[in-house]
Amino acid sequence: MLFRLISLLIVLPNILLAQHTISGMFSPPKDYKVALLYKVTPTVSEYIANAEVQKDGSFQFQLDSAVTSGMYRIVYAVPQEDYNFDVIYNGKEDIMLSFNTETGVEFKSSSENKLLKSYTKSMSAVTQSISNYFRENKKDTMALNAIFKTQREAQSNFEKLAEKTIALQFIKANRPYIPKKYEDVKTYVSNLKKHYFDYVDFNNKTLQSSSFLEERMNNYVFGMSSEGVDETTNYKNNIDVFCNAMKDAPVAIKRILLVSLWQQMVDLDYEAVANYISKKQLIEIAKSLKDNELVDALTLYKNLSIGSKAPDFSFEIIKDDKKLTKKLSELGNAEKYIIVFWSSGCSHCLDEIPKLQKFLKSYKKEKIKVIAVGLEDDNKVWKEKIKSYPEFIHVLGLGKWDNDIGNNYNVTATPTYFVLDKDKHIIGKPDDIEALKALLIR
């Protein structure tokens, strides 16, 4: 009896600590090394554990009693914000899953995750049936009404099945617009857009702790279109609708969602739309949160957008053996200006700068002027190199990556080019010498 009691006391802590597991298989296995588990809250993600991915692609997280129910995120590569997926942990069951690069996540066990996945597949199938009906220009109104009835019943049944589960929050929030009677395609699409956010509660902490709100935002902004409206205007209109839908959301949630949308527009080179988000919403939100870093980033991006006046800076020139201080804004007589940020220690620069010089020989001197800003730690090598380019205006930017001129132009690599018109407005930001040539030739 004593031996059994001692054995129980030894085993008991492990029973208490090891409550449940999240395990699975990654495929193809060679693409994965480690998985990280985070508990997600509306504004931060708390690191929970990491698990090595075995040679066969398997991994396992051991969850102790301190790991409470809620939304969790598994990260499998970097950058973390791009390579992850969410799971529901209800504190009552083990979770087994598989993840494939092409097909995404599938749940082998876990009633809540399987239920939500089943709901998503079922509603997607119904949506596809509606799309097929309109695309094939069918006229059988009873057939369409039957599809709507199926959709309505499926939504209701899944909500009943999900009662008292975390999954219910997502199923209710995802409820689509479902007509009560036949609608033609134009009316249906109009109502679909009008009611898209009807069931989305932006104050729901479970939704805030997942990717749901961001996905809903992206689907609307990038997926909804209007006839006779250009792409930029369409995006702006959709953003207005989305922002109105989340007008009562906490300001921190608005910041997270709009920063994500702003960054997507930046990455897609939709400068006008990115700046629209800043002007209409994000600058004010950042200021209210005293987020000066975000305010500066948004302002810098706007200042360097196509059509903006190039940030001014001073430099010295030699004229009649005298040093004179000039400003970019004071330069005249040229039709275009090229600002190139380079470095005498940059091999790529030393390859492109001579090509730039050779290319510009076909232009009259007064037509295009080059301002070459050397980002340098010191001027020793730079002083010798610039002798090969006497036709350029040379500016020494000491401090290299911590130079005011370079910082004001958000330079993070060399060479970096800006093309300005005669009034010093930015008209191009070519990635390399070939793109620069193409811009000047057209």
Side-chain angles (χ1 to χ4, degrees):
M1 178 64 73
L2 181 60
F3 176 77
R4 288 182 180 179
L5 180 59
I6 292 172
S7 298
L8 181 61
L9 290 173
I10 293 172
V11 173
L12 188 58
N14 292 326
I15 294 174
L16 293 174
L17 291 173
Q19 296 293 306
H20 293 289
T21 61
I22 299 177
S23 60
M25 296 285 292
F26 283 118
S27 63
K30 62 181 178 60
D31 292 345
Y32 306 91
K33 301 298 180 186
V34 67
L36 304 176
L37 181 67
Y38 293 88
K39 181 169 186 181
V40 188
T41 67
T43 55
V44 297
S45 295
E46 176 191 354
Y47 169 79
I48 300 298
N50 66 75
E52 184 179 350
V53 178
Q54 304 301 315
K55 289 182 179 180
D56 64 352
S58 63
F59 70 93
Q60 184 177 92
F61 297 108
Q62 201 77 41
L63 308 180
D64 61 34
S65 57
V67 179
T68 56
S69 62
M71 295 305 303
Y72 287 78
R73 184 162 296 156
I74 295 177
V75 175
Y76 55 88
V78 292
Q80 292 193 13
E81 59 270 20
D82 294 333
Y83 298 100
N84 64 73
F85 55 88
D86 289 350
V87 296
I88 298 171
Y89 175 60
N90 59 17
K92 302 174 184 177
E93 58 183 0
D94 293 338
I95 300 172
M96 289 184 64
L97 60 88
S98 63
F99 182 84
N100 182 276
T101 307
E102 300 297 327
T103 59
V105 63
E106 289 290 338
F107 293 95
K108 308 298 183 183
S109 71
S110 170
S111 58
E112 291 209 30
N113 288 290
K114 290 176 74 174
L115 178 63
L116 185 55
K117 196 75 173 179
S118 178
Y119 166 78
T120 302
K121 287 183 178 179
S122 296
M123 298 305 283
S124 294
V126 178
T127 301
Q128 187 60 52
S129 296
I130 297 171
S131 297
N132 291 342
Y133 178 92
F134 286 126
R135 187 175 62 252
E136 294 167 11
N137 201 25
K138 293 180 179 180
K139 304 299 181 182
D140 186 351
T141 60
M142 291 181 64
L144 183 59
N145 283 333
I147 297 173
F148 289 146
K149 181 182 178 183
T150 299
Q151 188 178 35
R152 193 178 303 109
E153 290 175 349
Q155 180 69 37
S156 178
N157 289 337
F158 272 105
E159 287 186 17
K160 289 177 182 176
L161 285 170
E163 285 182 2
K164 297 181 181 179
T165 70
I166 297 173
L168 179 63
Q169 309 301 314
F170 298 98
I171 293 172
K172 289 173 66 176
N174 199 61
R175 173 185 277 267
Y177 166 73
I178 307 174
K180 294 181 179 178
K181 60 182 180 178
Y182 174 83
E183 292 182 353
D184 60 40
V185 63
K186 188 174 182 180
T187 303
Y188 176 69
V189 170
S190 175
N191 283 328
L192 197 65
K193 292 175 66 176
K194 181 180 178 181
H195 298 284
Y196 193 81
F197 295 103
D198 279 4
Y199 299 96
V200 180
D201 180 2
F202 287 91
N203 287 287
N204 184 293
K205 289 188 173 7
T206 298
L207 301 184
Q208 292 171 356
S209 302
S210 73
S211 59
F212 179 87
L213 295 178
E214 183 173 358
E215 289 172 1
R216 198 76 172 173
M217 170 186 73
N218 289 339
N219 289 341
Y220 189 87
V221 172
F222 293 102
M224 295 294 183
S225 59
S226 302
E227 286 186 32
V229 178
D230 65 86
E231 193 173 44
T232 296
T233 303
N234 188 69
Y235 284 149
K236 289 179 179 179
N237 291 341
N238 288 351
I239 289 165
D240 286 343
V241 172
F242 169 70
C243 289
N244 183 62
M246 68 159 183
K247 63 180 183 297
D248 296 325
V251 67
I253 299 302
K254 291 181 181 179
R255 180 198 180 281
I256 290 171
L257 293 171
L258 289 175
V259 166
S260 172
L261 187 59
W262 176 84
Q263 188 60 59
Q264 289 180 78
M265 293 301 177
V266 169
D267 294 341
L268 292 168
D269 286 331
Y270 289 113
E271 286 187 341
V273 182
N275 289 327
Y276 183 78
I277 295 169
S278 298
K279 182 179 180 181
K280 292 277 288 187
Q281 296 282 339
L282 207 42
I283 286 280
E284 184 179 339
I285 288 171
K287 287 180 177 177
S288 71
L289 293 171
K290 295 183 170 56
D291 191 343
N292 296 328
E293 187 176 343
L294 179 56
V295 171
D296 291 343
L298 298 173
T299 303
L300 179 60
Y301 180 81
K302 179 183 179 299
N303 290 345
L304 297 174
S305 296
I306 301 297
S308 295
K309 195 100 170 186
D312 206 5
F313 57 87
S314 301
F315 52 89
E316 289 184 344
I317 61 171
I318 305 295
K319 188 172 183 179
D320 300 327
D321 295 326
K322 292 181 180 178
K323 280 187 179 182
L324 299 176
T325 299
K326 276 273 191 182
K327 288 184 175 181
L328 171 67
S329 57
E330 295 172 346
L331 296 178
N333 301 324
E335 293 180 15
K336 289 186 177 69
Y337 296 86
I338 298 172
I339 302 176
V340 54
F341 291 88
W342 70 297
S343 174
S344 61
C346 163
S347 59
H348 197 46
C349 301
L350 300 179
D351 176 58
E352 289 204 2
I353 298 301
K355 291 178 181 178
L356 173 63
Q357 183 186 46
K358 182 179 179 180
F359 174 73
L360 292 179
K361 283 182 179 178
S362 60
Y363 289 85
K364 293 181 180 179
K365 290 182 179 179
E366 64 273 12
K367 194 168 184 179
I368 299 177
K369 196 67 180 175
V370 175
I371 301 98
V373 183
L375 299 180
E376 309 285 344
D377 290 318
D378 57 59
N379 67 354
K380 292 178 183 177
V381 179
W382 176 82
K383 284 172 63 177
E384 293 301 314
K385 291 290 183 183
I386 64 174
K387 292 177 182 179
S388 300
Y389 313 104
E391 65 272 47
F392 294 177
I393 295 174
H394 291 284
V395 180
L396 177 61
L398 290 175
K400 200 164 185 175
W401 303 119
D402 191 22
N403 175 268
D404 286 344
I405 302 175
N407 291 343
N408 287 338
Y409 280 80
N410 198 29
V411 177
T412 58
T414 53
T416 292
Y417 300 96
F418 289 86
V419 181
L420 319 179
D421 65 14
K422 62 183 178 63
D423 297 315
K424 316 302 185 306
H425 292 105
I426 299 171
I427 59 174
K429 297 181 285 185
D431 293 328
D432 54 32
I433 187 65
E434 296 306 320
L436 175 64
K437 290 178 183 179
L439 178 65
L440 293 175
I441 290 171
R442 71 184 184 198

